[in-house]
Amino acid sequence: MPTSAERGRHVRARLLQAAAELVAEQGWNAVSTRMVAERAGVAPGLVHYHFASLPALLTEAAVQVMEGVVDGAAHGLSQARTAAQALELMLADLDRYPGDDPASRLVSEAMLASGRDEGLRTAMAGLLERFRARLGDRLAAQGVPDPRGTAAVLAAALDGMMLHRSLDPELTSTAVAPVLGRLLQDGTPGTAQEGHP
Amino acid sequence: MPTSAERGRHVRARLLQAAAELVAEQGWNAVSTRMVAERAGVAPGLVHYHFASLPALLTEAAVQVMEGVVDGAAHGLSQARTAAQALELMLADLDRYPGDDPASRLVSEAMLASGRDEGLRTAMAGLLERFRARLGDRLAAQGVPDPRGTAAVLAAALDGMMLHRSLDPELTSTAVAPVLGRLLQDGTPGTAQEGHP
DNA sequence: CCTGGGTTTGGGCAATCGCCCAAGGCGAAC
DNA sequence: GTTCGCCTTGGGCGATTGCCCAAACCCAGG
């Protein structure tokens, strides 16, 4: 028999999940408290009992989902034994998040909303930094030149391709794999200029 | 002395510009007809005289701005004489659109809104295709391998870095230049796998 | 049985929303 | 001077918004 406090925590979790779904479907600032309550199957007033405000609910919901995405990608990455394998695993993630699925949209919506919400911005910057660090460590272990800078560019490229994919479904992982493979090669002196701080 | 039709066109143009500014500042679906009218300095009712609906106004405003961005970048690109120069020009554009400026935000907002607006989606897909084609032609003329695929990845990487830059200001053009430079080198057989359709 | 604290309900508040429309302003054509 | 057509105004419509709150509810502890 669950105590009332436990039932309350369950309702809170359902509100968070409903909020994450709706942000992905309707857009960050098209989500209303009543929509969230309806999808969660509770009365409208409950939203402001469990959360201080609507932005606070959306921010907590987005951060929760994105932590799962980053940790999932980083965990898969830790099993790679070569640079090519790491790239292959990252592109598998690109297929898991095609750009028009709920998780991808949630991330994109949060990225834009972070420009107007300071708390969300710092939370997301922390997540990005964590992902870069793990990816950079993996690249360094494989002897990739400038692992830290390469990780930053690679992370950005993945995010960008996620966005572009919804405009061009042919931007598949097999299409971009040979191009990105060049990123992981040794730099040929003279062609690439120096200057990374 | 401007005729009334000419004054009408001028008001229409002001509404478009006000809409573009507000989408960048407040987000796609946080813009209201009354906000646009106020910034344009006209009565609220005028919005629905010049435009069929609010989404129609926002879509036309966004497409207009993005055409300018793409044409500007493509035009600058056409002056490059080497692959390294082309990369340099593209990174200069990255500095022009740091990710938290009005134009960058407008593009990002439109990219997300395109998932919920069919007309906007096709318009943006056309713009992306146009930019890729020009970039691909330029890369092909410099002997870059797989110019078409490289252009697609490069365009996505630029968009992604634009987004990441607002989370990490240190992601400057000088930081990523040496990394991206490797993309333009000849592929070393054996390291990059085949498979581009 | 009763009391107390956490949870839940549903309605109320003022504000804002997209869209509409009757009415007026105003230069061009006659 | 009168008529015509485009442009413009400001208010009104019903619906929806975030947030609030009095009251009911539920269950464990005394």
Side-chain angles (χ1 to χ4, degrees):
Chain A
M1 177 65 68
T3 155
S4 70
E6 285 170 336
R7 281 184 296 109
R9 271 193 297 261
H10 182 238
V11 166
R12 211 187 110 100
R14 290 234 309 282
L15 283 172
L16 283 171
Q17 187 194 340
E21 292 175 10
L22 286 168
V23 164
E25 295 172 13
Q26 316 279 349
W28 187 272
N29 30 25
V31 175
S32 72
T33 60
R34 286 167 177 84
M35 291 169 52
V36 177
E38 187 189 12
R39 176 158 307 200
V42 298
L46 259 187
V47 170
H48 286 89
Y49 174 79
H50 285 289
F51 300 93
S53 68
L54 179 61
L57 163 58
L58 299 186
T59 297
E60 186 169 333
V63 167
Q64 192 181 67
V65 169
M66 291 187 298
E67 275 175 349
V69 171
V70 167
D71 285 348
H75 175 262
L77 212 58
S78 69
Q79 301 181 331
R81 306 198 61 83
T82 70
Q85 235 178 54
L87 178 60
E88 197 178 337
L89 284 171
M90 290 188 57
L91 292 176
D93 267 335
L94 184 62
D95 288 335
R96 273 211 299 160
Y97 304 114
D100 55 354
D101 62 305
S104 305
R105 299 194 97 97
L106 194 275
V107 172
S108 304
E109 291 284 351
M111 192 123 31
L112 277 183
S114 72
R116 292 177 277 270
D117 184 310
E118 187 56 33
L120 181 58
R121 204 200 74 87
T122 58
M124 294 193 61
L127 283 175
L128 175 59
E129 171 53 32
R130 208 160 84 194
F131 180 66
R132 279 186 187 170
R134 303 214 201 172
L135 177 56
D137 288 349
R138 189 53 36 184
L139 294 180
Q142 315 302 335
V144 170
D146 188 11
R148 186 101 185 90
T150 303
V153 171
L154 218 43
L158 280 179
D159 258 19
M161 288 187 293
M162 217 176 62
L163 284 178
H164 281 202
R165 185 94 87 97
S166 61
L167 291 178
D168 173 20
E170 292 185 7
L171 192 65
T172 63
S173 62
T174 61
V176 304
V179 178
L180 283 181
R182 267 178 278 155
L183 262 188
L184 302 182
Q185 299 172 7
D186 296 344
T188 304
T191 302
Q193 56 262 56
E194 302 293 325
H196 184 240
Chain B
M1 175 67 69
T3 156
S4 71
E6 286 170 337
R7 282 185 293 114
R9 272 193 299 258
H10 182 237
V11 165
R12 211 187 110 100
R14 291 234 309 281
L15 283 172
L16 283 170
Q17 188 195 339
E21 294 175 10
L22 287 168
V23 165
E25 296 172 12
Q26 316 281 348
W28 187 273
N29 29 26
V31 175
S32 73
T33 61
R34 286 166 176 85
M35 291 169 51
V36 176
E38 187 189 11
R39 177 159 306 201
V42 299
L46 259 186
V47 170
H48 287 90
Y49 174 80
H50 286 289
F51 300 92
S53 67
L54 179 61
L57 164 58
L58 299 186
T59 296
E60 185 169 334
V63 168
Q64 192 182 67
V65 169
M66 291 187 299
E67 274 176 350
V69 170
V70 167
D71 284 349
H75 174 263
L77 212 58
S78 70
Q79 299 181 332
R81 306 197 61 83
T82 70
Q85 237 179 52
L87 179 60
E88 196 178 338
L89 284 171
M90 290 187 58
L91 292 176
D93 267 335
L94 185 61
D95 287 336
R96 275 211 298 162
Y97 304 114
D100 56 353
D101 62 305
S104 305
R105 299 194 99 97
L106 195 274
V107 172
S108 304
E109 292 283 352
M111 194 123 33
L112 277 183
S114 71
R116 292 177 277 270
D117 185 309
E118 187 55 32
L120 180 58
R121 203 200 74 86
T122 57
M124 294 192 61
L127 283 175
L128 175 59
E129 171 53 31
R130 208 161 86 194
F131 179 68
R132 280 185 187 170
R134 302 213 201 173
L135 177 56
D137 287 350
R138 189 53 36 186
L139 294 180
Q142 314 302 336
V144 171
D146 187 11
R148 184 103 186 89
T150 303
V153 172
L154 218 44
L158 279 180
D159 257 21
M161 287 187 294
M162 217 175 63
L163 284 177
H164 281 202
R165 185 94 87 96
S166 62
L167 292 177
D168 173 19
E170 292 185 7
L171 191 66
T172 63
S173 62
T174 61
V176 303
V179 177
L180 283 181
R182 266 178 278 155
L183 263 187
L184 303 181
Q185 299 172 8
D186 296 344
T188 303
T191 303
Q193 56 261 53
E194 301 295 325
H196 184 237

